[in-house]
Amino acid sequence: MSFDQTKRAGSATPLPVNENNQNSPLNELPGIVGSIGAQGFDSLPHGLRDRPQWCLAGADKRPLTVDGRAASVTDPRTWSSFDAVAHVAVEKGLHIGYVLTASDPYTCIDLDVKDSRNEADPKKWTTPEQLERFQRIAQDFDSYTERSRSGIGLHVWVEGKVGKGRRRDGVEVYSQERFIICTGDSYVRKPIANRQEMLDRMVSQMTDEQGTATVQLIEVAETDGDDVIWQRGADASNGDKFRQLWAGDWKGLGYPSQSEADLSLLSMLAFYSKSNEQVRRLFRMSELGKREKATRNDAYLNRTLTMIRGRLERENERVASAEVLSAELVKKLQATSAAQADHLGYPLDLHPKTAPAPRSAAQLPWPPGVAGQIAQLIHAAAMRPVPEVAIVAALGLLAGVCGGRWVIPKSGLNLYLVLLAKSGIGKEAMHEGISMFIHGVRARQPEVERFFDFAEYASGPALIKTIVDRTSFLQVSNEFGRRLKRMSEANDAALQGLRTAMTKLYSKSGPQAIVGGIAYSDKEKNVVTVSGVSYSMIGDSTPGTFREAITADMMEDGFMSRFTVVEHEGDRPPENPCPMTALPEGWAVWFSELVTHAVTLDRNMTYQFVGRDEGAAGILHAFNQECDDSINRAGDDESRRQMWNRAHLKALRIAALLAVADNYLNPCITTCHAEWAIDLVRRDIAVFTNRLQSGDIGSDDKARETKVLAILKEYLIKAPSTSYKVKPALHQNRIIPRKYLTVKTHSLPAFKSHKQGSTGALEQALRSLCSSGYITKCSGTDMVKDYNEHGECYMVLDLPSYD
């Protein structure tokens, strides 16, 4: 029987009267009223008693520690074992209660009965129809049930999860962040039973036509001081708005009335503090909080906070209630994958029992967990399989779907990835692998296409307009090196604007970040502002094209520091004799569920936080310190400072994506996630460091000088081959012939592209290096006399060192 059906159900059988209270509607329902604690704490199920999640209950029903201080439903340090709490309760004559958490398996259904004993207003008394429904709920769930502290309500305990729960018509359902007073006064003395399916039906039926449900304000202890909360609001991306609201300038912000401004400021404060008392106190410190309706009592603020907290709970509800599906989904995928493994001849287990194809220490290893399996899947589908291509595609796939609604502190999980490899090695597998996943789930989840875009944007405004309708998506770009080259050209304003837009968007994926806002003379073309945008990009390029396109200002202004570069230095691989042609069924199920979850989070405008375990937190913290030290050592060299500037953020985003892939319902970064992500970022830094030192990045004067310095250094360390016909005596005395430098530089892009050609470019670089004191031009007479060398030569004096 459904929730609404039980509301209409009645009993044709007259029920006996409880003589203790002639006015109570409980007279219509036998067996509920009983004495508090009649059977004692020993009646409480061991499943509850074995968990250290117990507190004393104060007179106001709030949780207390064993020494009488205020406890919190979100702070395990304030809880104790059952034995410790029960001992104090018996000694002091107090009640005890259990704290529900997201990590335990229990839910409590609170059937709240009101009559003349606990409610003065008869209009609020529980009706006979409600009592009948309560009795049916207790009977249908058929699990351990006890009378409440008042002796007239019921608590039905079951296994199952509903997130933070619902409340409607006297029925409350909670499974986390809730303190439930336990009496041991059994109404149904049975073990706690698993009733997940029944809970799911009940919760869905407790939603009204507008998709809302009444929530209660729960007082949570504050964890940070008022000044900390205020500073967070002031330093946020919308900090200007926060400060203007705090100053009471609601008219200047365009609010139609102060009530709307109150709601906005209270929402900001509630976002940074779970403590309603702290939010009320801070609001009254602001200029908005000075008017009488906010100061005379808590009624106005509580009504507004109830609205705000209810909205936040509804945003998180889909995530919380979905946790119970995680295990079943994993089992389903593993079973399907195992059944197909023999047929496909490829490991498709969600969590492989054997290691993937081995990689040497010098090569980028496969990502751990599910992300690695996705990469291997794309690798198996490629005509010419290259692991680096498959890894970039797998990370891009995850960033496109998960980059916007799964978050780390102050950031989403968007990535800019570039694959560098020679032409003809099979880079097209990056695009084809992502397309295989899209096609594989399109019938199940048509909205998958909103997360991917294969178009090339002509300008910054074109990209900004797209993000208004697609707040989380991946752009797959072809020949990105060529577009990067255009971004460096001053006369290409459109691509310069695209570069500016990409620079800004990289840091705008956090929940509080705001982007957009393009105004035209034709107002119909205007672009509104949006928040929490996650724009990700993957592209491919040949190494030479990419490096030639990078300019010094791209390195110094932080544009290139936003990219993670993955390089494949191998040759063209052999053709795959039997490439996978379609996404396996098990993976289609998994990916469609992931996309559906992302769509739901997006529609509800809610975010899912990615946590980290203790080991991962330590590793990431150490890497963050290493980044800080490297930035400080770089001094005024902005190119090297920028390489480390966002290294920790990139590692954290990548590690979080790996965690989401392994468990998108309750993601947590582990040590293996953190180590792999940091390794990838270190490789990226090494690529840029080596290329900077060798002069392979850029095509300006500085890049050419750096390249010549690298050639000089190589010359001093190792004698040139005999094919260059350099006299050994020249090498021994640090003298380098001009003809040797000409041969080494004439075909390099940075020199060929110079307006005076390779010869003019080399001449300019040598003059500059002479002026800097790195080299000096040798006397022609002395060279002929001492070495019988008739060509132009230079002596190497001192070369710069690179830390």
Side-chain angles (χ1 to χ4, degrees), residues 490-740:
N491 61 351
D492 197 331
L495 268 293
Q496 283 278 334
L498 179 61
R499 171 182 159 187
T500 300
M502 291 179 65
T503 302
K504 293 179 179 178
L505 285 174
Y506 183 82
S507 303
K508 297 295 184 179
S509 58
Q512 299 295 306
I514 298 176
V515 295
I518 303 177
Y520 296 95
S521 56
D522 183 353
K523 293 184 178 180
E524 292 184 357
K525 296 181 180 179
N526 288 353
V527 178
V528 300
T529 59
V530 292
S531 61
V533 169
S534 175
Y535 164 69
S536 295
M537 192 281 299
I538 61 172
D540 64 85
S541 176
T542 57
T545 302
F546 182 78
R547 291 166 189 149
E548 180 185 357
I550 300 174
T551 60
D553 64 304
M554 283 182 177
M555 294 294 295
E556 293 171 1
D557 67 9
F559 180 60
M560 292 312 304
S561 71
R562 288 158 167 78
F563 289 85
T564 301
V565 175
V566 177
E567 186 167 14
H568 170 70
E569 296 180 329
D571 294 324
R572 179 181 173 95
E575 186 174 339
N576 186 350
C578 186
M580 187 180 298
T581 58
L583 188 67
E585 177 66 18
W587 284 99
V589 171
W590 178 84
F591 191 54
S592 64
E593 292 285 351
L594 175 66
V595 172
T596 299
H597 194 56
V599 170
T600 303
L601 292 174
D602 196 36
R603 285 176 177 169
N604 292 338
M605 293 298 291
T606 189
Y607 298 89
Q608 188 155 345
F609 186 76
V610 181
R612 64 195 81 169
D613 66 21
E614 186 175 351
I619 293 171
L620 289 164
H621 177 70
F623 184 60
N624 193 24
Q625 290 183 319
E626 180 186 347
C627 294
D628 291 346
D629 294 340
S630 299
I631 291 171
N632 293 330
R633 283 199 304 270
D636 295 332
D637 190 337
E638 285 297 331
S639 295
R640 285 173 172 76
R641 290 175 66 89
Q642 288 294 340
M643 283 191 300
W644 289 94
N645 186 31
R646 291 175 178 82
H648 177 258
L649 174 61
K650 290 193 289 189
L652 189 52
R653 286 181 177 181
I654 293 166
L657 282 174
L658 301 180
V660 172
D662 281 353
N663 184 354
Y664 62 81
L665 296 172
N666 189 24
C668 181
I669 299 172
T670 63
T671 299
C672 63
H673 298 143
E675 289 177 341
W676 190 89
I678 291 172
D679 178 53
L680 177 62
V681 174
R682 287 189 192 281
R683 291 170 184 270
D684 166 61
I685 293 173
V687 167
F688 277 103
T689 300
N690 294 336
R691 299 305 177 182
L692 274 173
Q693 293 178 2
S694 63
D696 289 336
I697 289 180
S699 58
D700 56 2
D701 294 343
K702 183 178 180 180
R704 286 186 286 271
E705 291 175 22
T706 303
K707 184 61 182 178
V708 174
L709 287 170
I711 294 172
L712 295 174
K713 184 176 183 180
E714 179 186 33
Y715 177 84
L716 295 180
I717 294 173
K718 182 180 180 182
S721 68
T722 56
S723 63
Y724 289 101
K725 299 181 180 180
V726 176
K727 295 181 176 67
L730 296 178
H731 174 259
Q732 293 169 6
N733 289 288
R734 301 172 67 88
I735 297 172
I736 187 167
R738 167 72 177 263
K739 63 183 179 183
Y740 175 83

Side-chain angles (χ1 to χ4, degrees), residues 65-133:
T65 64
V66 289
D67 56 1
R69 294 176 292 107
S72 169
V73 295
T74 59
D75 187 357
R77 295 172 299 179
T78 62
W79 313 336
S80 299
S81 67
F82 170 80
D83 289 341
V85 172
H87 176 77
V88 176
V90 171
E91 181 180 316
K92 303 293 185 181
L94 300 173
H95 284 277
I96 66 174
Y98 180 86
V99 180
L100 288 163
T101 71
S103 61
D104 70 36
Y106 300 119
T107 286
C108 181
I109 304 171
D110 185 358
L111 305 175
D112 188 20
V113 177
K114 295 184 182 300
D115 64 13
S116 61
R117 287 172 289 184
N118 58 5
E119 176 56 57
D121 185 357
K123 294 180 181 179
K124 296 181 180 180
W125 289 357
T126 305
T127 66
E129 290 78 12
Q130 287 176 309
L131 288 170
E132 176 69 18
R133 184 166 68 258

